[in-house]
Amino acid sequence: MARREKTDVSRRDVVKMAGATGLAGLGVAGSASAQEYPPIGNFPIQGNPTFGFTVPQSGPYSSEGQDELRAYRMAVEHLNNGGGWVDNWSDLSGNGVLDQQIEFVSGDTATDADTARQTARRMIQRDQAIMLSGGSSSAVAIAIQELCQREKVNYMCCLTHSNDTTGKSCVRYSFREMFNAYMSAQALVPPVTNEYGGDNNFYQLYADYTWGQTVQSSMSQFFGEAGWNEMNSVATPLGTKDFSSYLSQVPRDQTDVLFLDHYGLDGANSLSQAKEMGLDEDMEIVVPLYNRPMAQAAGGAIEDVFGTVAWDSQIDNPPSNQFTQAFNDRYDRIPSGPAQLAYAQTLQYAAAVQRAGTFYPPEVIKQLEGREYNNIGMGQELMRKCDHQAQRAVPVVKGLSESEQQQGQFFEIVNLTGADQLGYSCDEGPAGECELGPYE
């Protein structure tokens, strides 16, 4: 990444130098609020506000990233010109945000934390992004939100499922709509134990980074509490293409249920290879988290496989149906859960700015903290103040056979587990390890 020469003067430097004498003549957006609040991060904004979208355009989660980027583009189009949810949200006008047209930049995270950090830093320093959003890897999301906390730039997580994101790695400047591994385990136990019984031996293969590690620990905790016996848990590297050596170690004569704690292309590969090796003839298989691109890549291998998803177009309510229609009209395809998260988080941030009347990051944060909402298709939700974790429903799904699969529909929703049946208090579970840090 190119670095600024020491003689260069950045926009941040100009704003700081102008702070003592006022901002007249600098072309700073929202000059009234800019004069009311001190410079911080990339505030005040010079020119049109820029959003930065960090998505995996390469690596094992690239299919999810492509759908996220489609949704981010559509969100900006709707914010600037109307359409989709913008037409129904009282906080949004369809004429930009605070009457400023939104611009955006995007960058590849390569499903790698170091690459993602470099991409995000470039967006903050070169492109002067006032907000970042993205994800698909929890390691990526955690790396970016730590950077955003230091740089005082708001970050709206997209797809990140690790307990750590809003647990021990939480920060004041980041918010997560997506539920976590802890909640997935809570949601999976009732339907899975009802289907397979309450006394099973289970074996786990898990992706060896923060996401897979917290999925493994959450499944161990909640299925253990339900009376199941964990035989072993084996770590696998992110980006593994051939899982046969790991799958061959699973004791077929003793294992009742195999958990494949993999996602994206990794998840499609491990599940497909498990079925090819005939493991499903000797045991049941659970994939704790999957989505439409992953299910599509796995094809018929997902048949009868339980899991959870962020969101699905089968959820029948006005916001879900409106988003599905808008996305399908724009791209001629059914949106995935990651796409819904990307769209929702962009609009949630924009609506918070509108309510605050300013892009000043601490005031935007305060508009998001403790916010109750029911406008993104997942029922009544709360963005909790103590850890910035949405308290929301979790869809539990079961894969359809290849003959039953249709365009954009690869699983049936067996249970939409309500927020009142999930979660944990602010001093328990992952939240008990969260210390958000300062506003300024």
Side-chain angles (χ1 to χ4, degrees):
M1 181 182 69
R3 297 181 181 271
R4 292 182 185 273
E5 297 295 332
K6 291 183 179 179
T7 54
D8 285 353
V9 178
S10 71
R11 187 208 61 85
R12 285 185 171 190
D13 296 329
V14 172
V15 168
K16 289 176 180 177
M17 288 186 291
T21 58
L23 295 160
L26 288 177
V28 177
S31 58
S33 65
Q35 292 173 1
E36 182 179 353
Y37 299 106
I40 185 173
N42 283 332
F43 177 88
I45 300 167
Q46 185 177 13
N48 288 335
T50 297
F51 293 175
F53 301 133
T54 59
V55 297
Q57 299 174 49
S58 58
Y61 297 168
S62 58
S63 293
E64 287 77 11
Q66 291 168 10
D67 228 26
E68 290 172 20
L69 191 53
R70 293 183 186 101
Y72 282 132
R73 288 195 183 103
M74 189 173 78
V76 172
E77 290 171 5
H78 288 173
L79 287 173
N80 287 335
N81 305 305
W85 291 345
V86 171
D87 293 345
N88 295 322
W89 285 25
S90 60
D91 297 327
L92 299 173
S93 67
N95 185 34
V97 179
L98 298 183
D99 296 326
Q100 297 289 321
Q101 290 288 289
I102 301 301
E103 299 177 358
F104 76 92
V105 292
S106 64
D108 186 12
T109 67
T111 321
D112 175 79
D114 289 336
T115 302
R117 194 180 292 107
Q118 293 172 7
T119 297
R121 185 177 290 111
R122 183 172 62 248
M123 290 177 174
I124 293 170
Q125 295 179 352
R126 184 194 68 186
D127 302 310
Q128 306 300 311
I130 193 65
M131 179 274 275
L132 299 186
S133 183
S136 282
S137 160
S138 290
V140 163
I142 289 170
I144 295 176
Q145 72 177 20
E146 289 173 348
L147 174 67
C148 285
Q149 179 70 30
R150 291 195 301 272
E151 297 289 334
K152 299 297 183 283
V153 172
N154 293 129
Y155 181 60
M156 304 297 288
C157 295
C158 184
L159 183 63
T160 169
H161 187 241
S162 169
N163 295 338
D164 295 345
T165 308
T166 49
K168 67 181 183 181
S169 299
C170 72
V171 298
R172 180 72 62 184
Y173 273 68
S174 178
F175 291 84
R176 175 164 64 175
E177 166 64 28
M178 178 67 180
F179 54 86
N180 59 18
Y182 195 97
M183 291 185 239
S184 278
Q186 289 176 316
L188 281 168
V189 166
V192 171
T193 55
N194 182 63
E195 185 88 2
Y196 302 143
D199 183 16
N200 288 298
N201 292 327
F202 69 104
Y203 190 105
Q204 295 195 75
L205 297 181
Y206 65 93
D208 193 15
Y209 75 107
T210 179
W211 171 71
Q213 292 159 4
T214 64
V215 173
Q216 182 273 330
S217 64
S218 295
M219 299 302 146
S220 295
Q221 175 182 344
F222 286 101
F223 279 92
E225 291 174 0
W228 289 30
N229 172 54
E230 183 173 23
M231 300 172 60
N232 199 7
S233 290
V234 177
T236 63
L238 179 64
T240 297
K241 294 181 173 58
D242 184 358
F243 289 90
S244 59
S245 63
Y246 300 101
L247 293 166
S248 64
Q249 298 175 31
V250 180
R252 291 179 181 239
D253 60 339
Q254 301 174 47
T255 305
D256 298 310
V257 180
L258 171 63
F259 284 79
L260 297 176
D261 307 339
H262 302 127
Y263 192 70
L265 185 58
D266 286 10
N269 285 336
S270 68
L271 178 57
S272 297
Q273 290 164 22
K275 291 286 185 90
E276 289 168 4
M277 294 172 66
L279 266 67
D280 59 313
E281 298 174 7
D282 299 313
M283 64 195 72
E284 306 296 342
I285 299 176
V286 173
V287 176
L289 182 70
Y290 63 99
N291 60 36
R292 185 188 58 76
M294 177 178 164
Q296 186 172 8
I302 69 169
E303 182 177 357
D304 293 333
V305 173
F306 278 100
T308 62
V309 296
W311 169 89
D312 189 72
S313 61
Q314 296 175 70
I315 297 174
D316 185 12
N317 56 49
S320 282
N321 296 338
Q322 188 177 28
F323 172 67
T324 299
Q325 186 64 53
F327 194 93
N328 195 35
D329 289 346
R330 177 68 172 80
Y331 297 110
D332 193 27
R333 60 187 293 129
I334 302 298
S336 64
Q340 188 264 359
L341 287 170
Y343 185 80
Q345 287 292 75
T346 306
L347 267 59
Q348 291 280 31
Y349 170 79
V353 171
Q354 288 284 154
R355 293 193 300 271
T358 177
F359 282 96
Y360 183 63
E363 291 301 317
V364 177
I365 291 170
K366 291 171 185 176
Q367 287 296 324
L368 291 165
E369 289 179 332
R371 179 76 177 175
E372 295 185 21
Y373 50 100
N374 185 19
N375 55 4
I376 69 169
M378 295 305 301
Q380 189 66 35
E381 299 190 49
L382 167 68
M383 181 56 71
R384 197 157 59 177
K385 182 177 181 179
C386 67
D387 59 354
H388 294 186
Q389 172 64 59
Q391 303 300 292
R392 49 159 289 179
V394 174
V396 177
V397 300
K398 192 175 184 182
L400 297 172
S401 68
E402 197 158 18
S403 63
E404 295 175 301
Q405 292 177 11
Q406 304 173 20
Q407 178 64 32
Q409 185 171 330
F410 299 89
F411 35 73
E412 62 174 323
I413 296 177
V414 298
N415 193 28
L416 189 60
T417 311
D420 58 339
Q421 303 172 54
L422 301 168
Y424 42 91
S425 66
C426 287
D427 58 359
E428 295 177 336
E433 300 182 83
C434 173
E435 295 183 11
L436 287 169
Y439 288 93
E440 298 177 355

